[in-house]
């Protein structure tokens, strides 16, 4: 399947590669010669060769340079600096920096799920599992955690070995069973790739789908900037479709159609539709009916569907807005849609688990061409394997303790406690935002974020302009400097031109939440008073 | 520093993106229409639009399709299939598949370093560290492992949280101290990025160095195919230079010069020189004098130096061929070379540690432009952070137990045992290869591989041709089918045209080594007898 790598390195091919692909004589300056003749060159050559660094922002990869990524951009960089400053300087007017810029629950002291970490810890130290240690071990670990670690190690071997590049087969089998149980339709472990977080899976799929710079991808606005950044990096065409804020960030298929037609009229070779469900940064959860329309649309327009479903258990209105996977809805639609191509992404970083630091997730390929699957495997091979510690958490997430297991009561209680608290915090923060002058905020149906709209006084807009900032960036930077709360301006996610938003997680600890809301209220009042028209 | 992400998604920019970059009207067929009119189209249109999948090997990213990667190519895929078959079928003539295709020590039962796994395991389960557990814990863990885990968690917070995208600062400080101690010259934690294995670091650096398809990189032949695969993926120009097998895979600067001049004459914009030291697959270790020449060459030719130094502790002739880092040699060369740009890569996967599965490593940037460093940070941000479990192992690798620590004697004994065994196994395997008819093999000065040269009878070459295989691939495939030993043909790494090689690790367990060598000898004898000219 894979041909020899280095054909191009044999002499004849090497030459053909060079002769074919390169047309112009090089004028790369040589440092030693340049030094000897520098003064002469400066006299005779009006645009002398560059001196100094070989690698500069001028000579680097232009697509990397152009790529933008706000979630860890200017605001978080300033927040980090403030956080360092706080260690020695108590005069900032706040006690801590609160990182609401990113869904990173354990950074804000959310406790990990006990069973998961017990198993992970035993897998790291198989010596503990020796029979001679068992009595001591049972004082520290429940029997089902020990049994799970033993089962995993039996199937993994050592967690220090590269695994299969698609991920450990036993774990992919468990993922397939999880999907079958969730959806009621079959899943095949061979169609599942374990990945280093959902981000790595998204990157691979977008890359393989990009034939050239006309290859077009529909992405939501507002969107998680992983998509715009990755599309920029592979030089694909971004075709935005707007979510409707007045309909709780709903998705209208008519708008998709309009966006596709317009892009095709302009020459785009439309390849795929990206849906984030539940939405990031917007928190909406799609109805099953809407999902059917979306699948019909993709099928009729010949678009591969990319379903980012990493927030599938962060569902806050389970009765009116339950989660359905696109795989499930597609499977329910019968023969006519049986060839619809779909990639679905999941992650250990979200849900009630929040195991962001270990970088784990999976990608399910539905109706993807077998030869393309081989290519995906080849790409996975180059980076050898997803990290095994992340893979183990994928196993635990998709195959947690069940009723009857020793650890089930604690597992259930931990999950429920986090879940109920997230609902309360999302409601409280939305209430806080809606109580503020000039701010409106939809409730979160899912995910970990609110995305309130700001109406800013003209004087604030002018002040932002003076500082060379977008108005929402100026508002967020002012908030950070006044309160230590770091959020991300709407311009980082995209928004209807002329509107202003920001994204905030509702992840600060619940016992700090009243203070957190009060600080925001005070800042907002002061800001609005300062810039009153 | 980072501008707003979604300028291109605002309506006006979106249009400019589409109008500017796309010239041709789309002819993407729509599935619903196609179905209705299919028979007519087939009659009237001599080249009908494609039916079936949207994403195929024809419509996918062409550079991904063209990229080749042998280390996990046809041989390992067949080896995996045989391994599965062995579970139920005992008629294959061998008891196990021995994966010598990849440097993956723990897959071949090398034991992990006890102290490292103890600390990793405690970091996963901080509840164990509570005071109430201390007496029980001390029955299972030495005090210094507990203290190290406590120190790490104090600096990390939770291992389940995304860390700084460059890696945890405390760990980067320890890496900098390690480099200072190794080299005797200062290192700055701000110049260090923790990475998901060396591969991820190499990919990022090659990408940022590629301005366009003329950007040229000198790579050794034979080489580790990560380099050719990554260069193919970013569409850069590969400029091979040959290592001299008759001088124990030595590197001649005259050859570098010739390769650069020829490439420049053909239009390449030469950017960088890749050196793997100790060599992979060739196992040579550069002398300090040779390294000085290489640095002088890079400086004079204005090339950034990429030093893959992941095998820096796999040194088997420490007196005649000790390891020197390029950072150290460069630092010793004084003011004249003080601006030479250098990236150096290290990994937790190699050495005596072999912690491949957790994907950890680091990248040191030397004399890299500050603004380029910001761009590297931006790229790191898009994938959020390197996995924390890998970062913890980087800490342990660079800051292991020292004399006086409770765990030092065991640590030292484990490292020494593996090291001495590697020397013995490398010598034994080289001896075995050199005893075979038509095979010659240089000793390993470093790394984990031997790369023997094969002289094949014409009949074997003809037989390979009949099967549509390269002769060395045919030899390796025959070896796999006969013995269960999986090695990689030289064509996967590049070799002088007309010569044949293969790469084998010397990682099989020492107690199996005599059988391993005997199996190879028997296979080789049979193969040569069968194809005798």
């Amino acid at each position: 399947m894979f041909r020899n790598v280095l054909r191009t390195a044999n002499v004849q091919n090497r030459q053909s590669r060079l002769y074919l692909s390169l047309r112009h004589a090089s004028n790369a300056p040589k440092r030693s010669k340049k030094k000897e003749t520098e003064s002469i060159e400066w006299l005779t050559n009006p645009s002398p060769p560059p001196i100094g660094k070989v690698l500069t922002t001028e000579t680097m990869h232009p697509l990397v340079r152009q790529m933008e990524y706000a979630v860890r951009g200017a605001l978080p960089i300033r927040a980090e600096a403030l956080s360092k400053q706080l260690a020695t300087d108590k005069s900032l007017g706040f006690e801590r920096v609160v990182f609401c810029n990113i869904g990173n629950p354990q950074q804000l002291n959310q406790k990990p799920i006990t069973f998961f970490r017990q198993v992970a810890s035993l897998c790291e130290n198989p010596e503990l599992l020796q029979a001679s240690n068992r009595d001591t071990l049972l004082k520290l670990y429940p029997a089902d955690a020990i049994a799970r670690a033993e089962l995993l190690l039996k199937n993994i071997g050592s967690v220090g070995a590269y695994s299969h590049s698609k991920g450990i087969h036993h774990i992919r089998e468990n993922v397939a069973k999880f999907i079958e149980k969730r959806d009621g339709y079959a899943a095949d472990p061979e169609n599942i790739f374990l990945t280093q977080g959902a981000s790595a899976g998204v990157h691979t799929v977008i890359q393989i789908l990009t034939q050239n710079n006309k290859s077009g991808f529909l992405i939501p606005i507002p969107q998680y900037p992983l998509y715009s950044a990755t599309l920029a990096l592979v030089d694909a065409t971004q075709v935005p479709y707007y979510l409707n804020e007045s309909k709780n960030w709903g998705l209208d298929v008519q708008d998709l159609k309009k966006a596709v037609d317009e892009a095709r009229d302009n020459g785009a070779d439309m390849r795929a539709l990206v849906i984030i469900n539940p939405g990031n940064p917007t928190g909406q959860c799609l109805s099953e009916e809407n999902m059917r329309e979306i699948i019909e649309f993709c099928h009729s327009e010949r678009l591969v569907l990319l379903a980012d479903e990493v927030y599938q258990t962060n569902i806050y209105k389970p009765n009116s807005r339950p989660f359905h996977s696109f795989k499930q809805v597609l499977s329910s639609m019968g023969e006519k849609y049986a060839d619809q191509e779909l990639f679905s992404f999941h992650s250990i970083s979200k849900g009630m688990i929040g195991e962001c630091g270990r970088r784990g997730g999976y990608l399910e390929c539905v109706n993807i061409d077998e030869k393309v699957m081989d290519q995906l495997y080849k790409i996975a091979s180059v980076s050898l394997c997803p990290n095994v510690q992340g893979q183990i958490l994928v196993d635990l997430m998709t195959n947690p303790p069940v009723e009857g297991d020793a650890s089930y009561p604690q597992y259930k209680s931990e999950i429920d406690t986090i879940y109920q608290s997230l609902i309360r915090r999302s409601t409280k923060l939305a209430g806080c935002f809606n109580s503020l002058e000039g701010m409106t905020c939809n409730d979160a149906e899912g995910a970990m974020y609110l995305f309130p709209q700001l109406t800013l006084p003209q004087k604030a807009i002018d002040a932002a302009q003076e500082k060379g900032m977008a108005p929402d960036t100026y508002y967020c930077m002012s908030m950070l400097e006044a309160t230590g709360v770091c959020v991300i301006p709407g311009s980082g996610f995209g928004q209807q031109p002329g509107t202003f938003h920001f994204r905030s997680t509702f992840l600060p600890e619940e016992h700090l939440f009243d203070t957190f809301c009060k600080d925001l209220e005070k800042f907002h009042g002061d800001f609005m008073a300062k810039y009153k028209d």
Side-chain angles (χ1 to χ4, degrees), chain A:
Chain A
M1 177 173 57
F2 306 148
R3 287 167 302 144
N4 299 332
V5 157
L6 264 174
R7 298 250 173 97
T8 51
N10 289 338
V11 166
Q12 67 278 31
N13 284 310
R14 165 194 168 194
Q15 291 184 339
S16 72
R17 160 115 185 109
L18 291 174
Y19 286 101
L20 286 172
S21 69
L22 307 171
R23 304 272 173 237
H24 312 290
S26 168
N27 49 16
K30 296 180 186 175
R31 192 154 7 199
S32 58
K33 288 197 182 166
K34 179 177 60 59
K35 282 202 172 165
E36 288 158 25
T37 60
E38 199 167 80
S39 56
I40 297 169
E41 279 183 14
W42 278 88
L43 285 172
T44 58
N45 187 343
S47 66
I51 52 170
K53 304 287 181 193
V54 174
L55 177 59
T56 68
T57 47
E58 281 70 46
T59 63
M60 66 177 274
H61 197 297
L63 296 172
V64 172
R65 185 177 55 231
Q66 285 155 29
M67 177 185 76
E68 295 172 331
Y69 193 68
V71 175
R72 295 208 147 188
L75 267 291
I77 285 171
R78 177 66 185 143
E80 266 170 35
L82 287 172
S83 190
K84 269 189 198 164
Q85 197 179 329
L86 270 176
T88 52
D89 175 1
K90 301 294 173 201
S91 73
L92 290 178
F94 47 85
E95 282 171 27
R96 62 175 71 79
V97 172
V98 186
F99 288 92
C100 293
N101 56 301
I102 188 164
N104 193 8
Q106 294 193 29
Q107 184 191 35
L108 299 178
N109 299 324
Q110 181 177 304
K111 282 207 174 146
I113 302 299
T114 303
F115 180 79
F116 291 3
R117 293 299 198 85
Q118 287 171 334
V119 175
S121 126
L122 289 167
C123 290
E124 289 288 7
N125 193 0
E127 278 192 21
L128 291 182
L129 297 167
Q130 288 170 0
S132 58
N133 287 326
R134 192 52 52 103
D135 290 346
T136 316
L137 199 61
L138 280 166
K139 289 181 191 153
L140 297 170
Y141 288 91
D144 57 347
I146 296 173
R148 174 63 70 88
E150 285 174 334
L151 177 66
L152 279 167
L153 289 178
K154 193 181 143 216
N155 283 284
I156 294 171
S158 169
V159 302
Y162 296 125
S163 75
H164 192 287
S165 299
K166 289 172 79 169
I168 292 147
H169 195 267
H170 169 76
I171 298 179
R172 287 188 281 129
E173 282 176 337
N174 282 336
V175 172
K177 285 179 201 156
F178 158 81
I179 294 171
E180 286 180 9
K181 197 172 156 197
R182 183 193 66 190
D183 295 343
Y185 294 96
D188 182 347
E190 290 309 316
N191 293 339
I192 290 158
F193 287 74
L194 304 189
T195 57
Q196 308 226 104
S199 311
V202 167
H203 184 277
T204 301
V205 168
I206 285 182
Q207 182 179 45
I208 203 166
L209 273 161
T210 302
Q211 188 171 10
N212 53 47
N213 65 4
K214 291 184 213 166
S215 300
F217 293 74
L218 283 158
I219 58 169
I221 300 298
Q223 55 106 32
Y224 178 51
L226 168 68
Y227 292 95
S228 51
T230 308
L231 290 167
L233 208 55
V234 301
D235 203 19
T237 292
Q238 300 176 33
V239 180
Y241 64 90
Y242 283 92
L243 301 173
N244 189 336
E245 185 167 12
S246 67
K247 293 183 177 170
N248 209 28
W249 300 111
L251 189 163
D252 188 335
V253 172
Q254 298 310 312
D255 291 346
L256 292 180
K257 176 71 179 144
K258 215 177 124 195
V260 160
D261 287 348
E262 193 181 317
R264 286 200 169 123
D265 286 347
N266 291 305
D269 180 9
M270 293 306 298
R271 286 296 167 89
L273 165 64
V274 172
I275 305 253
I276 310 173
N277 180 49
N280 174 4
T282 40
Q284 82 286 9
C285 185
L286 297 174
S287 72
E288 195 177 348
E289 192 192 339
N290 199 188
M291 292 169 77
R292 269 184 230 278
E293 293 173 344
I294 291 166
I295 291 168
E296 284 168 9
F297 169 78
C298 286
H299 195 261
S300 131
E301 299 291 334
R302 292 183 56 76
L303 298 173
V304 177
L305 180 53
L306 273 52
D308 179 337
E309 299 178 323
V310 301
Y311 295 100
Q312 60 187 259
T313 60
N314 296 90
I315 299 297
Y316 306 122
K317 314 219 162 174
N319 299 319
S320 59
R321 287 294 192 194
F323 172 76
H324 300 277
S325 76
F326 269 103
K327 168 87 179 294
Q328 184 220 318
V329 176
L330 171 59
S331 303
S332 76
M333 288 171 69
E335 198 54 36
K336 183 175 173 193
Y337 299 94
D339 56 350
Q340 174 61 43
E341 292 150 83
L342 164 68
F343 291 100
S344 164
F345 306 94
H346 198 8
S347 167
I348 60 172
S349 302
K350 309 302 170 191
M352 266 38 77
I353 303 170
E355 288 283 354
C356 305
R358 54 214 316 133
R359 317 305 299 119
Y362 74 78
L363 156 66
E364 188 187 11
C365 306
V366 181
N367 295 321
I368 301 304
D369 185 270
E370 276 302 321
K371 285 184 189 162
V372 171
M373 300 278 289
D374 290 344
Q375 295 286 327
L376 288 170
Y377 178 39
K378 181 178 72 176
I379 299 174
S381 299
V382 177
S383 47
L384 299 160
C385 70
N387 80 82
V388 174
Q389 286 67 23
Q391 296 188 47
I392 287 172
L393 239 287
V394 173
D395 182 86
L396 294 163
M397 173 179 76
T398 55
N399 187 17
V402 292
E403 219 161 340
D405 291 351
S407 294
Y408 180 71
Q410 186 179 5
Y411 167 75
K412 186 167 185 325
S413 154
E414 288 173 348
I415 293 280
D416 288 352
T417 302
I418 295 169
Y419 178 58
Q420 294 302 333
S421 171
L422 283 173
I423 296 182
R424 284 193 299 273
R425 284 179 279 168
S426 82
T427 310
K428 192 174 265 188
L429 190 58
C432 166
F433 288 153
N434 279 316
S435 77
L436 301 180
E437 182 196 348
M439 205 182 290
T440 56
C441 182
N442 287 322
D443 283 350
E445 293 167 353
M448 292 180 170
Y449 315 100
L450 293 174
F451 198 65
Q453 183 170 164
L454 272 170
T455 306
L456 290 173
Q458 189 57 44
K459 280 186 186 161
I461 296 171
D462 296 344
Q465 211 150 22
E466 256 172 56
K467 303 263 184 190
M469 288 186 196
D472 48 8
T473 304
Y474 182 64
Y475 177 87
C476 295
M477 198 60 97
S478 305
M479 183 195 293
L480 174 61
E481 300 284 352
T483 64
V485 174
C486 179
V487 300
I488 302 287
S491 41
F493 304 91
Q495 51 198 347
Q496 288 279 6
T499 68
F500 306 117
H501 298 77
F502 63 88
R503 184 187 85 166
S504 176
T505 72
F506 38 84
L507 295 175
E509 291 173 87
E510 199 162 3
H511 71 93
L512 299 173
F513 225 77
D514 286 335
T515 316
F516 171 64
C517 291
K518 261 185 212 149
D519 287 351
L520 293 182
E521 283 162 20
K522 175 162 186 329
F523 157 73
H524 186 80
D526 291 350
F527 184 91
M528 296 301 267
K530 181 172 175 186
Y531 295 109
K532 201 169 177 154
D533 283 327

